[in-house]
Amino acid sequence: MNLEIQKIAADKKKTKPVFDTSLGFGKYFSDHFFIMKYDAKNGWHQPKIEPYRQLTLDPAAMVLHYAQEIFEGLKAYNSKNGIFLFRAKDNLTRMNNSARRLCMPEIDIDFVYDAMKKLVLIDKEWIPTARETSMYIRPTMIATEASVGVRVSAEYLFYIIVGPAGSYYPEGFNPIKIFVSDKYVRAVRGGVGEAKTGANYAASLFAAQEAKKMGCSQVLWLDAIDQKHVEEVGTTNIFFRFDDEVVTSPLTGTILPGITRDSVIKLLRSWNIKCTERRISIDEIMKGSKDGKLKEVFGTGTAAVISPVSELHYKDEVFNVGSGKIGDISLKLYEEILSIQYGEKTDPFGWVEKIG
Ligand SMILES: *Cc1c(COP(=O)(O)O)cnc(C)c1O
């Protein structure tokens, strides 16, 4: 496949917002995007980087009716040391895992990785340079065949949009409150919980609204069978520190295998901090909060990196975490991961690639 590149005319470029942490998350998109098409006869074809534009879709496009859609989320980091991508091929590998689960065509990881790098560099003036800001990269695949019969689509679009991002939470790197849902569930065993697909998010919105009403910023999901064990939070995996052991839920098919989760596990183990993947009951967490063993709770994800948690709201009770401040391990992980992502520290894991 030949990647065609069509650049925007200088006078058509968008006006950029102010690049600081007030950028928020996911509100601005750059001047170009990458797009390619798929059909059964031609496979993936017509890959192109072109000026950002609207898509035209048939109102019967299958994605609009049956949610055959997958996506990814990763970032490019810009510092005085250069422009870096963090574990980007792992995101594309995970995208192919999601594609298989949703009966969608896999992409050629090396080709798309190369196109992604080119897109980031063409729009590099859209990568903010302040620490804690970055360029968010959103690869997306949608089913486009016009048909309202329920079956696998024969046509798809794959595209990548990028844009400047500040902090994910209005709170910034500060503790958040989370709401433990004992009524709604996110994903059930055998479902699509481990795929990064829009359907999981559609299913989560109602409970997220309930959490907001309770003054919490996210939902902590419990397992869908007996609602006893923790799974993950809205857009992040979750870790608990009981005294000197850090634990996180195992990958049993109902949670998203986070790349930040994996990085945190590897970093903790490299620091000789005990980190265990095992089931964690909500009872153990409530008990830990009461007897003081629960020292830290934090979420992990590309968007917020580490989100310290200060309070868990469960069945009309509030469970405090440690002192309510950012814990030592949360802070150390946050600093370490950022230093690696911004190319400030040597990366012993081979996670970053300098692309510019
Ligand atoms: C994307 C995502 C995460 C975090 O994954 P990272 O690879 O660390 O960004 C966690 N949970 C869900 C449901 C997600 O969609």
Side-chain angles (χ1 to χ4, degrees), residues 232-233 235-239 248 255-259 261 298-301:
E232 63 176 320
V233 177
T235 55
T236 61
N237 296 110
I238 185 100
F239 288 73
T248 192
I255 69 172
L256 208 282
I259 291 163
R261 174 188 181 278
F298 55 91
T300 63

Side-chain angles (χ1 to χ4, degrees), residues 100-167:
R100 280 194 300 277
R101 182 64 180 82
L102 275 286
C103 305
M104 301 171 87
E106 291 181 43
I107 50 168
D108 176 334
I109 291 176
D110 291 324
F111 181 85
V112 171
Y113 184 62
D114 188 57
M116 182 194 293
K117 283 195 282 193
K118 289 201 168 91
L119 174 64
V120 168
L121 292 176
I122 286 173
D123 275 341
K124 69 175 180 213
E125 56 197 54
W126 284 88
I127 321 177
T129 51
R131 215 162 185 274
E132 302 186 24
T133 64
S134 56
M135 171 185 269
Y136 186 71
I137 305 171
R138 168 56 59 92
T140 309
M141 193 192 296
I142 56 173
T144 52
E145 187 187 343
S147 166
V148 291
V150 180
R151 58 176 170 77
V152 173
S153 172
E155 293 163 22
Y156 298 87
L157 280 181
F158 172 89
Y159 56 86
I160 305 174
I161 51 177
V162 301
S167 52

Side-chain angles (χ1 to χ4, degrees), residues 14 72 123 221 276:
K14 301 176 190 171
E72 269 303 324
D123 275 341
W221 300 102
T276 319

Side-chain angles (χ1 to χ4, degrees), residues 38 256 283:
Y38 178 93
L256 208 282
D283 294 341

